[in-house]
Amino acid sequence: MSESTNKSTDHELFVTEFPKGNFGIVDYLQGRVHFALMDQMKLMHKSGMSQEQIKEAILKTVSEIVENFEPKKESESS
């Protein structure tokens, strides 16, 4: 099996697609985040991390994302 084929298999194992039909944008985005976190935790667990290590790593990452979020200010002309 080639390396690129093996990588594809890894992605298929750890990347769950969120269904696109009949969801509002907020529900769709929340579903994608939920599935992404679950996939990440599954991979971290398989790599040998404890539940507490997984929790700390994910909370640290999410906290950094939220703290660094700077929404663009709308222009006065809009």
Side-chain angles (χ1 to χ4, degrees), residues 27-59:
D27 292 331
Y28 177 73
L29 293 172
Q30 287 176 340
R32 285 181 48 206
V33 169
H34 176 85
F35 280 13
L37 285 172
M38 294 300 293
D39 290 341
Q40 182 178 2
M41 290 187 292
K42 193 171 21 174
L43 178 64
M44 294 166 101
H45 175 74
K46 185 174 173 120
S47 74
M49 292 178 74
S50 71
Q51 189 166 353
E52 189 60 32
Q53 289 172 314
I54 293 168
K55 178 181 175 181
E56 288 175 13
I58 290 177
L59 289 177

Side-chain angles (χ1 to χ4, degrees), residues 7-74:
K7 286 182 182 179
S8 176
T9 303
D10 289 346
H11 286 112
E12 289 172 11
L13 180 63
F14 288 107
V15 178
T16 305
E17 293 292 328
F18 187 77
K20 294 181 181 171
N22 299 325
F23 289 97
I25 187 68
V26 172
D27 292 331
Y28 177 73
L29 293 172
Q30 287 176 340
R32 285 181 48 206
V33 169
H34 176 85
F35 280 13
L37 285 172
M38 294 300 293
D39 290 341
Q40 182 178 2
M41 290 187 292
K42 193 171 21 174
L43 178 64
M44 294 166 101
H45 175 74
K46 185 174 173 120
S47 74
M49 292 178 74
S50 71
Q51 189 166 353
E52 189 60 32
Q53 289 172 314
I54 293 168
K55 178 181 175 181
E56 288 175 13
I58 290 177
L59 289 177
K60 180 182 177 201
T61 301
V62 170
S63 293
E64 288 172 359
I65 292 168
V66 171
E67 288 169 7
N68 291 314
F69 176 67
E70 294 182 23
K72 295 180 181 177
K73 300 206 187 234
E74 292 188 34

